[in-house]
Amino acid sequence: MKAIVKHEWRKTEKGIYLPKSTPELVTIPKFKYLSIHGEGNPTSATFTEYIQALYSLAYAIKMTLKKTDVLPENYSDWTVYPLEGVWDISERAKKNFNGIINKNELVYNLMIRQPEFIGLDIFNEILESTKKKKPQRLLERIQFTEITEGLCVQMLHIGSFENEIKTFKVMEDFANTNNLKRKSKVHKEIYLSDFRKVSEEKLKTVLRFQIQD
């Protein structure tokens, strides 16, 4: 029997998940995600619940398929992808924006990418199974979605989330120098470090924003 090679995103998708500490232009194709929408301060207990729900389902999908006899076409085992977040502020906050972001007015979509062979049928089946085996109120809010980011500027940020504004300034200067226009103030963060265990100054986060066509 032929051995199934495990997909390691840290090794095979470095251009997407392990950028350098300098800005770069990258094109992100369509990917599949588990996604959950939330609002409010990311230091809240609810925010942690969102993350727990996402990882609960992500690992349930991985482990269920690993044990099943009938595998989807093109299946391979994989390392669970990192947590990602797309960040914006509420419409109400935009109307009254004074240049200072109130974390209680943040809106976000947290997500974990899924392999290409995962389809809506697998998602629905394992979601229902997970609800029964490991009930959690937020599981019902997880959606299966496809997202194409397209042309983006990205950069590795090292340090506190509070200092991301400095990295975004470097990224925006890079865009301006190359006659590129940022699509909006919405941005993505990919969390390479576990912020529950890693000190602030050592946190590694991929920052990314879309460029207008």
Side-chain angles (χ1 to χ4, degrees), residues 21-209:
S21 298
T22 53
E24 61 184 8
L25 200 59
V26 63
T27 299
I28 309 297
K30 182 190 293 183
F31 290 135
K32 298 177 179 180
Y33 296 90
L34 306 179
S35 177
I36 188 168
H37 177 77
E39 300 181 11
N41 199 313
T43 61
S44 69
T46 301
F47 184 80
T48 301
E49 283 189 81
Y50 286 142
I51 296 174
Q52 291 171 342
L54 275 178
Y55 272 113
S56 176
L57 183 56
Y59 276 100
I61 291 173
K62 171 184 166 68
M63 298 311 297
T64 299
L65 291 181
K66 197 170 183 178
K67 296 175 182 177
T68 190
D69 294 327
V70 182
L71 295 170
E73 187 176 358
N74 298 320
Y75 168 85
S76 68
D77 190 16
W78 73 100
T79 300
V80 171
Y81 283 91
L83 178 70
E84 307 184 29
V86 175
W87 293 88
D88 197 1
I89 57 175
S90 68
E91 292 303 317
R92 180 179 177 182
K94 289 176 183 177
K95 292 178 182 178
N96 303 295
F97 189 63
N98 60 1
I100 300 174
I101 293 177
N102 181 341
K103 290 184 179 181
N104 294 321
E105 296 177 328
L106 289 169
V107 294
Y108 49 84
N109 284 309
L110 297 177
M111 57 190 70
I112 296 177
R113 186 179 152 196
Q114 297 299 288
E116 188 58 32
F117 54 79
I118 302 295
L120 186 59
D121 53 344
I122 293 175
F123 165 77
N124 286 330
E125 180 181 341
I126 299 179
L127 174 61
E128 291 307 314
S129 173
T130 305
K131 287 180 183 177
K132 295 174 183 177
K133 293 178 180 179
K134 297 182 178 180
Q136 191 172 351
R137 66 185 183 91
L138 292 174
L139 284 171
E140 292 184 352
R141 296 179 58 176
I142 297 178
Q143 297 182 332
F144 185 76
T145 185
E146 294 184 344
I147 299 172
T148 305
E149 292 178 68
L151 190 63
C152 299
V153 171
Q154 71 176 14
M155 179 175 167
L156 180 65
H157 171 76
I158 300 177
S160 169
F161 300 128
E162 303 296 333
N163 294 330
E164 287 181 353
I165 188 170
K166 297 179 181 178
T167 301
F168 278 121
K169 178 64 167 59
V170 174
M171 294 166 67
E172 289 177 341
D173 288 345
F174 169 84
N176 292 333
T177 299
N178 289 278
N179 296 316
L180 303 169
K181 189 173 181 180
R182 185 171 176 174
K183 193 171 183 179
S184 72
K185 287 298 182 181
V186 175
H187 73 274
K188 172 173 275 193
E189 300 181 359
I190 304 176
Y191 307 103
L192 303 179
S193 306
D194 186 338
F195 39 76
R196 299 169 302 174
K197 302 176 182 178
V198 177
S199 59
E200 280 193 348
E201 66 273 11
K202 294 182 179 180
L203 289 172
K204 292 184 178 180
T205 310
V206 179
L207 301 183
R208 182 187 296 160
F209 58 69

